Amino acid sequence: MNGLNQFAIKQTGDAEEACPDSQEVACAQCKLHGFLKFFEGSDLLSLNIFLSRRIPVAKGAILFDAVAPFRGIYAVKSGSFKSFSHQDPSGDQILGFSLPGELIGLDALHSSQYGYSTVALEASSVCWLPFEHLDVLGERMAFFQEQVIRILVDQVRHDHHQTLLVGRRTAEERLGAFLLNLSDRYRRHGFEGEAFRLPMLQNDMANYLGLSMETVSRTLRGFREQEVVSIQGKRLRILNEDCLRSIAHACRGGGDSAGPG
Amino acid sequence: MNGLNQFAIKQTGDAEEACPDSQEVACAQCKLHGFLKFFEGSDLLSLNIFLSRRIPVAKGAILFDAVAPFRGIYAVKSGSFKSFSHQDPSGDQILGFSLPGELIGLDALHSSQYGYSTVALEASSVCWLPFEHLDVLGERMAFFQEQVIRILVDQVRHDHHQTLLVGRRTAEERLGAFLLNLSDRYRRHGFEGEAFRLPMLQNDMANYLGLSMETVSRTLRGFREQEVVSIQGKRLRILNEDCLRSIAHACRGGGDSAGPG
DNA sequence: CGCAAATTTGACGTTAGTCAAGGTTGGTGG
DNA sequence: CCACCAACCTTGACTAACGTCAAATTTGCG
């Protein structure tokens, strides 16, 4: 899986790519970046044809629903999203949250439909890479696929972590690991890891972690009382990361990436 | 060398009769098959060079451990395996079980090490596709990668189900879904779905499902008393699939997952 | 400022984990 | 073929964790 020739990576200080708004992820920090470099260097035109940049999505708006035909993948530019399946008579099940710099929809590849729905948790924006155009890329397909594989492998590993996380752990461990996971993901995409927004409802966290809303509330209170974190509205600050880490797992390495895709 | 019914214990039938002990999967039913067809037609020699067929693995033998360098993927030909990570101070965590026809190690692609260990649950055999040879395949790479992607996407979807399965469900739901999942997987690879072996220990099931061993035991007893299944030794027969299905998805659709890879 | 949504808090019940002991099974060697 | 032993599984009693229900309080948006 190597020895494939590299296209020149254009390192620009494009105004477009700079981050005027600190809530946006820089293009260079986005997971989509790995895909884009294959467009650059030889045919910039195709990049602009294929990639739609910075599409606004209003809070509560549906990016796609479960039965929408697969139209390609999205990268979160700013804001955040939750993805959920609603095949459940007793209510929706949240599959994951997507933060700036992360991809949505990759796991619907080769499917006719996404299979889950994705909604903006706040005013957000995305970049869109429509896949039906990609087969015209011919020779670059292999490079492209290598990227896809790399990210899917990441995803599988993350999901294993998630499975470990949700199975048989106490509320404190789940929530602690969840907060550390968010912290890592923000940091990885160029944001501050110690202080960040919790864009989702406690209800959503509860759903995602397999807990009740009340338990989430009580557990967060516990964290506050132990002065492990401080919370003001939707803003969270990690005051004692070591402690949080030891609560989260008697010792496991921080979780990896994202929601679906 | 297969299916010798060495356990020809002729009891009052039930779970034993239609459930031969250890069978090989037919090549055409194996997930590796999709990969292999790209070798065919032009150069059958390379197939034999690259693919090692039917390597025996003794019960309890380690197929690879977590820090072994990535050497390619395996397909279970006969028998079964469990994969587990042991980064957890509180003990190993089982990531999944692999049945005949399923792949192991695919999610270590592009990694230097497997990252988890895999052990044979019984006398088994595998086919081995060493990946370091694959980059000589040139043009076929794209097709190959497409297969990889297809399976990884599958995997991600299953893992989502698994996460849903383990989070916030009762012991009955988890175990019911687990049994149905095994049934589906056996059936998919050409075996009988109503009667099959449970190759793993109850302890392993418990670990995998995030339950205690005692709860698994009690829950299985419940299933037996409700005449939903019959169990004799390691053989299981589903007596009332509808009932099992309604136990399993007390609220949700969907089964659960395949093993890693 | 007001209302609806979100969160917090308390009381109580249920599920499944833990501890401990007893029973079964299957593999091995005599 | 049988006896034995070490895993493995089963069962019971007890308990901690967490879900549920209900009501009070806070938040935040228009």
Side-chain angles (χ1 to χ4, degrees), chain B residues 141-158:
Chain B
M141 199 61 182
F143 302 104
F144 186 82
Q145 288 187 331
E146 198 172 320
Q147 290 294 310
V148 171
I149 289 171
R150 199 175 297 277
I151 290 182
L152 284 175
V153 165
D154 246 38
Q155 176 81 39
V156 169
R157 304 207 139 178
H158 285 317

PDB file of all heavy atoms in Angstrom, chain B residues 141-158:
ATOM      1  N   MET B 141      -4.889  -2.986  -7.778  1.00  0.00           N
ATOM      2  CA  MET B 141      -4.956  -2.365  -6.467  1.00  0.00           C
ATOM      3  C   MET B 141      -6.299  -1.707  -6.210  1.00  0.00           C
ATOM      4  O   MET B 141      -6.855  -1.835  -5.131  1.00  0.00           O
ATOM      5  CB  MET B 141      -3.845  -1.333  -6.389  1.00  0.00           C
ATOM      6  CG  MET B 141      -3.502  -0.928  -5.014  1.00  0.00           C
ATOM      7  SD  MET B 141      -2.916  -2.318  -4.054  1.00  0.00           S
ATOM      8  CE  MET B 141      -2.682  -1.481  -2.507  1.00  0.00           C
ATOM      9  N   ALA B 142      -6.794  -0.997  -7.198  1.00  0.00           N
ATOM     10  CA  ALA B 142      -8.028  -0.250  -6.994  1.00  0.00           C
ATOM     11  C   ALA B 142      -9.192  -1.185  -6.669  1.00  0.00           C
ATOM     12  O   ALA B 142      -9.969  -0.934  -5.753  1.00  0.00           O
ATOM     13  CB  ALA B 142      -8.347   0.594  -8.218  1.00  0.00           C
ATOM     14  N   PHE B 143      -9.274  -2.260  -7.400  1.00  0.00           N
ATOM     15  CA  PHE B 143     -10.338  -3.225  -7.126  1.00  0.00           C
ATOM     16  C   PHE B 143     -10.170  -3.797  -5.733  1.00  0.00           C
ATOM     17  O   PHE B 143     -11.122  -3.964  -4.985  1.00  0.00           O
ATOM     18  CB  PHE B 143     -10.297  -4.370  -8.128  1.00  0.00           C
ATOM     19  CG  PHE B 143     -10.433  -3.907  -9.536  1.00  0.00           C
ATOM     20  CD1 PHE B 143      -9.337  -3.853 -10.368  1.00  0.00           C
ATOM     21  CD2 PHE B 143     -11.676  -3.512 -10.022  1.00  0.00           C
ATOM     22  CE1 PHE B 143      -9.464  -3.425 -11.646  1.00  0.00           C
ATOM     23  CE2 PHE B 143     -11.805  -3.078 -11.320  1.00  0.00           C
ATOM     24  CZ  PHE B 143     -10.690  -3.031 -12.145  1.00  0.00           C
ATOM     25  N   PHE B 144      -8.937  -4.082  -5.455  1.00  0.00           N
ATOM     26  CA  PHE B 144      -8.632  -4.645  -4.160  1.00  0.00           C
ATOM     27  C   PHE B 144      -9.073  -3.709  -3.046  1.00  0.00           C
ATOM     28  O   PHE B 144      -9.748  -4.092  -2.103  1.00  0.00           O
ATOM     29  CB  PHE B 144      -7.136  -4.898  -4.083  1.00  0.00           C
ATOM     30  CG  PHE B 144      -6.732  -5.603  -2.836  1.00  0.00           C
ATOM     31  CD1 PHE B 144      -6.853  -6.978  -2.743  1.00  0.00           C
ATOM     32  CD2 PHE B 144      -6.265  -4.898  -1.763  1.00  0.00           C
ATOM     33  CE1 PHE B 144      -6.498  -7.631  -1.587  1.00  0.00           C
ATOM     34  CE2 PHE B 144      -5.905  -5.550  -0.604  1.00  0.00           C
ATOM     35  CZ  PHE B 144      -6.030  -6.913  -0.515  1.00  0.00           C
ATOM     36  N   GLN B 145      -8.698  -2.465  -3.215  1.00  0.00           N
ATOM     37  CA  GLN B 145      -9.050  -1.494  -2.186  1.00  0.00           C
ATOM     38  C   GLN B 145     -10.545  -1.322  -2.073  1.00  0.00           C
ATOM     39  O   GLN B 145     -11.082  -1.075  -0.998  1.00  0.00           O
ATOM     40  CB  GLN B 145      -8.380  -0.163  -2.493  1.00  0.00           C
ATOM     41  CG  GLN B 145      -6.886  -0.235  -2.253  1.00  0.00           C
ATOM     42  CD  GLN B 145      -6.224   1.100  -2.392  1.00  0.00           C
ATOM     43  OE1 GLN B 145      -6.694   1.952  -3.142  1.00  0.00           O
ATOM     44  NE2 GLN B 145      -5.142   1.295  -1.681  1.00  0.00           N
ATOM     45  N   GLU B 146     -11.197  -1.459  -3.211  1.00  0.00           N
ATOM     46  CA  GLU B 146     -12.639  -1.322  -3.140  1.00  0.00           C
ATOM     47  C   GLU B 146     -13.233  -2.401  -2.242  1.00  0.00           C
ATOM     48  O   GLU B 146     -14.135  -2.144  -1.456  1.00  0.00           O
ATOM     49  CB  GLU B 146     -13.236  -1.393  -4.545  1.00  0.00           C
ATOM     50  CG  GLU B 146     -14.635  -0.839  -4.575  1.00  0.00           C
ATOM     51  CD  GLU B 146     -15.157  -0.715  -5.992  1.00  0.00           C
ATOM     52  OE1 GLU B 146     -14.366  -0.323  -6.877  1.00  0.00           O
ATOM     53  OE2 GLU B 146     -16.330  -1.012  -6.206  1.00  0.00           O
ATOM     54  N   GLN B 147     -12.697  -3.581  -2.351  1.00  0.00           N
ATOM     55  CA  GLN B 147     -13.130  -4.661  -1.467  1.00  0.00           C
ATOM     56  C   GLN B 147     -12.872  -4.314  -0.010  1.00  0.00           C
ATOM     57  O   GLN B 147     -13.716  -4.503   0.853  1.00  0.00           O
ATOM     58  CB  GLN B 147     -12.380  -5.956  -1.798  1.00  0.00           C
ATOM     59  CG  GLN B 147     -12.778  -6.567  -3.114  1.00  0.00           C
ATOM     60  CD  GLN B 147     -14.205  -7.047  -3.085  1.00  0.00           C
ATOM     61  OE1 GLN B 147     -14.603  -7.756  -2.185  1.00  0.00           O
ATOM     62  NE2 GLN B 147     -14.988  -6.625  -4.060  1.00  0.00           N
ATOM     63  N   VAL B 148     -11.674  -3.816   0.211  1.00  0.00           N
ATOM     64  CA  VAL B 148     -11.303  -3.462   1.579  1.00  0.00           C
ATOM     65  C   VAL B 148     -12.306  -2.460   2.133  1.00  0.00           C
ATOM     66  O   VAL B 148     -12.822  -2.600   3.248  1.00  0.00           O
ATOM     67  CB  VAL B 148      -9.884  -2.864   1.627  1.00  0.00           C
ATOM     68  CG1 VAL B 148      -9.595  -2.300   3.012  1.00  0.00           C
ATOM     69  CG2 VAL B 148      -8.854  -3.923   1.264  1.00  0.00           C
ATOM     70  N   ILE B 149     -12.591  -1.471   1.325  1.00  0.00           N
ATOM     71  CA  ILE B 149     -13.506  -0.431   1.775  1.00  0.00           C
ATOM     72  C   ILE B 149     -14.879  -1.011   2.066  1.00  0.00           C
ATOM     73  O   ILE B 149     -15.499  -0.727   3.090  1.00  0.00           O
ATOM     74  CB  ILE B 149     -13.614   0.679   0.716  1.00  0.00           C
ATOM     75  CG1 ILE B 149     -12.301   1.470   0.684  1.00  0.00           C
ATOM     76  CG2 ILE B 149     -14.787   1.598   1.020  1.00  0.00           C
ATOM     77  CD1 ILE B 149     -12.201   2.440  -0.461  1.00  0.00           C
ATOM     78  N   ARG B 150     -15.322  -1.846   1.172  1.00  0.00           N
ATOM     79  CA  ARG B 150     -16.650  -2.417   1.345  1.00  0.00           C
ATOM     80  C   ARG B 150     -16.752  -3.143   2.687  1.00  0.00           C
ATOM     81  O   ARG B 150     -17.718  -2.996   3.424  1.00  0.00           O
ATOM     82  CB  ARG B 150     -16.927  -3.393   0.189  1.00  0.00           C
ATOM     83  CG  ARG B 150     -18.373  -3.717  -0.036  1.00  0.00           C
ATOM     84  CD  ARG B 150     -18.502  -4.593  -1.278  1.00  0.00           C
ATOM     85  NE  ARG B 150     -18.061  -3.932  -2.496  1.00  0.00           N
ATOM     86  CZ  ARG B 150     -18.833  -3.108  -3.202  1.00  0.00           C
ATOM     87  NH1 ARG B 150     -20.051  -2.846  -2.817  1.00  0.00           N
ATOM     88  NH2 ARG B 150     -18.364  -2.543  -4.303  1.00  0.00           N
ATOM     89  N   ILE B 151     -15.726  -3.879   2.999  1.00  0.00           N
ATOM     90  CA  ILE B 151     -15.776  -4.652   4.235  1.00  0.00           C
ATOM     91  C   ILE B 151     -15.603  -3.757   5.458  1.00  0.00           C
ATOM     92  O   ILE B 151     -16.263  -3.938   6.477  1.00  0.00           O
ATOM     93  CB  ILE B 151     -14.723  -5.768   4.202  1.00  0.00           C
ATOM     94  CG1 ILE B 151     -15.174  -6.808   3.169  1.00  0.00           C
ATOM     95  CG2 ILE B 151     -14.552  -6.400   5.566  1.00  0.00           C
ATOM     96  CD1 ILE B 151     -14.282  -7.992   3.042  1.00  0.00           C
ATOM     97  N   LEU B 152     -14.753  -2.759   5.329  1.00  0.00           N
ATOM     98  CA  LEU B 152     -14.583  -1.852   6.458  1.00  0.00           C
ATOM     99  C   LEU B 152     -15.876  -1.102   6.740  1.00  0.00           C
ATOM    100  O   LEU B 152     -16.252  -0.891   7.894  1.00  0.00           O
ATOM    101  CB  LEU B 152     -13.443  -0.869   6.185  1.00  0.00           C
ATOM    102  CG  LEU B 152     -12.041  -1.445   6.319  1.00  0.00           C
ATOM    103  CD1 LEU B 152     -11.005  -0.415   5.918  1.00  0.00           C
ATOM    104  CD2 LEU B 152     -11.781  -1.912   7.747  1.00  0.00           C
ATOM    105  N   VAL B 153     -16.546  -0.693   5.679  1.00  0.00           N
ATOM    106  CA  VAL B 153     -17.812   0.004   5.863  1.00  0.00           C
ATOM    107  C   VAL B 153     -18.805  -0.903   6.597  1.00  0.00           C
ATOM    108  O   VAL B 153     -19.479  -0.489   7.539  1.00  0.00           O
ATOM    109  CB  VAL B 153     -18.383   0.460   4.508  1.00  0.00           C
ATOM    110  CG1 VAL B 153     -19.848   0.845   4.642  1.00  0.00           C
ATOM    111  CG2 VAL B 153     -17.579   1.630   3.964  1.00  0.00           C
ATOM    112  N   ASP B 154     -18.859  -2.123   6.156  1.00  0.00           N
ATOM    113  CA  ASP B 154     -19.660  -3.121   6.847  1.00  0.00           C
ATOM    114  C   ASP B 154     -19.327  -3.168   8.327  1.00  0.00           C
ATOM    115  O   ASP B 154     -20.200  -3.185   9.181  1.00  0.00           O
ATOM    116  CB  ASP B 154     -19.321  -4.506   6.269  1.00  0.00           C
ATOM    117  CG  ASP B 154     -20.492  -5.104   5.552  1.00  0.00           C
ATOM    118  OD1 ASP B 154     -21.222  -4.331   4.885  1.00  0.00           O
ATOM    119  OD2 ASP B 154     -20.684  -6.322   5.648  1.00  0.00           O
ATOM    120  N   GLN B 155     -18.057  -3.215   8.562  1.00  0.00           N
ATOM    121  CA  GLN B 155     -17.570  -3.336   9.923  1.00  0.00           C
ATOM    122  C   GLN B 155     -18.021  -2.154  10.782  1.00  0.00           C
ATOM    123  O   GLN B 155     -18.468  -2.322  11.906  1.00  0.00           O
ATOM    124  CB  GLN B 155     -16.042  -3.397   9.877  1.00  0.00           C
ATOM    125  CG  GLN B 155     -15.376  -3.426  11.220  1.00  0.00           C
ATOM    126  CD  GLN B 155     -15.396  -4.811  11.803  1.00  0.00           C
ATOM    127  OE1 GLN B 155     -15.212  -5.776  11.092  1.00  0.00           O
ATOM    128  NE2 GLN B 155     -15.615  -4.914  13.085  1.00  0.00           N
ATOM    129  N   VAL B 156     -17.882  -0.980  10.208  1.00  0.00           N
ATOM    130  CA  VAL B 156     -18.268   0.217  10.958  1.00  0.00           C
ATOM    131  C   VAL B 156     -19.748   0.144  11.313  1.00  0.00           C
ATOM    132  O   VAL B 156     -20.156   0.448  12.432  1.00  0.00           O
ATOM    133  CB  VAL B 156     -17.971   1.488  10.150  1.00  0.00           C
ATOM    134  CG1 VAL B 156     -18.621   2.697  10.809  1.00  0.00           C
ATOM    135  CG2 VAL B 156     -16.471   1.699  10.046  1.00  0.00           C
ATOM    136  N   ARG B 157     -20.534  -0.291  10.356  1.00  0.00           N
ATOM    137  CA  ARG B 157     -21.971  -0.373  10.626  1.00  0.00           C
ATOM    138  C   ARG B 157     -22.260  -1.386  11.729  1.00  0.00           C
ATOM    139  O   ARG B 157     -23.071  -1.146  12.611  1.00  0.00           O
ATOM    140  CB  ARG B 157     -22.703  -0.789   9.369  1.00  0.00           C
ATOM    141  CG  ARG B 157     -22.422   0.138   8.232  1.00  0.00           C
ATOM    142  CD  ARG B 157     -23.579   0.134   7.285  1.00  0.00           C
ATOM    143  NE  ARG B 157     -23.802   1.495   6.857  1.00  0.00           N
ATOM    144  CZ  ARG B 157     -24.732   1.847   5.982  1.00  0.00           C
ATOM    145  NH1 ARG B 157     -25.515   0.924   5.478  1.00  0.00           N
ATOM    146  NH2 ARG B 157     -24.874   3.106   5.650  1.00  0.00           N
ATOM    147  N   HIS B 158     -21.598  -2.527  11.643  1.00  0.00           N
ATOM    148  CA  HIS B 158     -21.806  -3.534  12.675  1.00  0.00           C
ATOM    149  C   HIS B 158     -21.389  -3.001  14.035  1.00  0.00           C
ATOM    150  O   HIS B 158     -22.040  -3.253  15.036  1.00  0.00           O
ATOM    151  CB  HIS B 158     -20.993  -4.791  12.370  1.00  0.00           C
ATOM    152  CG  HIS B 158     -21.597  -5.595  11.265  1.00  0.00           C
ATOM    153  ND1 HIS B 158     -22.936  -5.829  11.165  1.00  0.00           N
ATOM    154  CD2 HIS B 158     -21.037  -6.217  10.216  1.00  0.00           C
ATOM    155  CE1 HIS B 158     -23.183  -6.562  10.100  1.00  0.00           C
ATOM    156  NE2 HIS B 158     -22.037  -6.815   9.500  1.00  0.00           N
TER     157      HIS B 158
END
